[in-house]
């Protein structure tokens, strides 16, 4: 009888231990978030999305996975319900919309939420990336692949100084880079690590190619945005109507 009781207690203890371990491990799926190379994947229900616009990472979720209030590196997969990326959405600076909808910012005193990876492969409804969306986000690395999106407009400074990017793939739907009047842009300015910028239909050996439907290239959009020594042959599509200064 004693042996049987001991076995039952032991089994219960082990079960509780397994459940506790699983509960603690779940939030860190994809990485521990301690470095840009090992970012923690943000679950879909921890993304702040309102009226199909992505604003940032949930303040409540971030506090729960970052109790030490240090820097946490995160990875995002933009869902197919999102049509717009809000201004400053991939940064942790304050905006009134972030405060309104509960996205974490540095003002909350919960630590630094640093985006290190963004996957747009499921973002098939995305049409607009607003200004400063990922400006100065130097920890985002690799290829920015927008080929599965329906993006028509990428506003000014959206990826300015994303020095970790090595390539960009633009969708054929793209019409405007920067402001519609061309007076502001800097969309990819100072992305000094780029090895190529091309379209979804370009060949893999193409270094620079723009979408055939592009109408506006804003000021400074491509200024200082390739690795030093890169040889470029630039062809502007016939569709382009406005080119800002120093584009």
């Amino acid at each position: 009888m004693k042996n049987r009781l001991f076995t039952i207690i032991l089994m219960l203890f082990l079960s509780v231990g397994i459940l506790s371990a699983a509960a603690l491990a779940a939030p860190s799926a994809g990485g521990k978030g301690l470095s840009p190379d090992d970012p923690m994947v943000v679950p879909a229900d921890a993304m702040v999305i309102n009226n199909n616009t992505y604003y940032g990472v949930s303040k409540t979720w971030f506090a729960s996975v970052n109790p030490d209030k240090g820097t946490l590196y995160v990875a995002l997969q933009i869902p197919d319900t999102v049509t717009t990326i809000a201004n400053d959405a991939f940064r942790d600076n304050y905006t009134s919309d972030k405060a309104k909808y509960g996205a974490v910012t540095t003002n909350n005193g919960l630590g630094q939420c640093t985006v290190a990876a963004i996957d747009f492969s499921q973002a098939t409804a995305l049409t607009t990336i607003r200004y400063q969306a990922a400006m100065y986000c130097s920890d985002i690395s690799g290829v920015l692949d927008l080929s599965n999106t329906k993006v028509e407009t990428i506003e000014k400074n959206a990826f300015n100084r994303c020095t970790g990017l090595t390539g960009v793939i633009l969708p054929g739907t793209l019409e405007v880079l920067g402001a519609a009047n061309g007076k502001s842009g800097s969309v990819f300015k100072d992305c000094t690590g780029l090895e190529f910028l091309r379209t979804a239909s370009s060949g893999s050996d193409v270094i620079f190619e723009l979408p055939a439907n592009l109408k506006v290239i804003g000021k400074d959009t491509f200024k200082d945005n390739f690795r030093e020594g890169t040889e470029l042959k630039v062809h502007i599509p016939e569709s382009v109507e406005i080119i800002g200064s120093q584009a």
Side-chain angles (χ1 to χ4, degrees):
M1 182 66 180
K2 288 183 178 180
N3 288 339
R4 183 180 178 186
L5 180 60
F6 175 78
T7 301
I8 293 172
I9 292 173
L10 180 60
M11 289 177 65
L12 286 171
F13 175 79
L14 289 173
S15 297
V16 170
I18 291 170
L19 287 172
S20 298
L24 290 172
S28 62
K32 295 181 179 180
L34 300 180
S35 70
D37 297 327
D38 189 35
M40 180 181 290
V41 175
V42 178
D45 58 3
M47 294 185 187
V48 178
I49 299 171
N50 186 273
N51 289 329
N52 303 114
T53 298
Y54 172 82
Y55 289 97
V57 175
S58 164
K59 177 173 63 176
T60 303
W61 176 83
F62 186 75
S64 71
V65 297
N66 192 40
D68 295 334
K69 300 181 180 180
T71 297
L72 187 72
Y73 297 91
V74 301
L76 305 169
Q77 183 173 65
I78 307 302
D80 59 7
T81 56
V82 171
T83 59
T84 303
I85 302 296
N87 61 285
D88 302 282
F90 300 131
R91 309 169 70 203
D92 65 352
N93 63 306
Y94 174 88
T95 71
S96 58
D97 282 336
K98 287 183 181 183
K100 179 179 179 180
Y101 297 121
V104 67
T105 73
T106 51
N107 287 23
N108 300 133
L110 299 173
Q112 185 172 346
C113 181
T114 300
V115 175
I118 311 171
D119 181 355
F120 289 95
S121 63
Q122 303 301 314
T124 53
L126 185 64
T127 60
T128 305
I129 300 176
R130 299 209 61 207
Y131 64 92
Q132 300 176 186
M135 186 172 71
Y136 303 157
C137 292
S138 59
D139 288 302
I140 298 175
S141 61
V143 177
L144 173 66
D145 189 349
L146 299 172
S147 60
N148 285 349
T149 73
K150 295 182 177 67
V151 168
E152 298 174 358
T153 301
I154 305 177
E155 294 185 359
K156 66 178 183 179
N157 292 306
F159 297 97
N160 187 343
R161 208 176 295 179
C162 288
T163 54
L165 291 179
T166 57
V168 175
I169 302 177
L170 300 171
T173 52
L174 186 64
E175 296 183 357
V176 179
L177 285 167
N181 60 10
K183 292 185 178 180
S184 61
S186 302
V187 178
F188 296 109
K189 185 176 183 246
D190 292 327
C191 290
T192 53
L194 287 185
E195 299 172 2
F196 66 85
L197 185 148
R198 54 182 177 242
T199 71
S201 59
S202 301
S204 59
D205 59 338
V206 173
I207 296 177
F208 187 88
E209 185 173 13
L210 298 173
N213 293 322
L214 189 65
K215 296 178 180 178
V216 180
I217 303 173
K219 178 183 178 181
D220 291 336
T221 287
F222 301 116
K223 187 176 181 181
D224 299 328
N225 72 344
F226 275 87
R227 287 187 176 178
E228 188 176 350
T230 302
E231 295 184 7
L232 294 177
K233 184 178 181 180
V234 178
H235 171 70
I236 305 298
E238 294 181 2
S239 59
V240 174
E241 301 169 356
I242 299 173
I243 301 177
S245 63
Q246 303 182 73

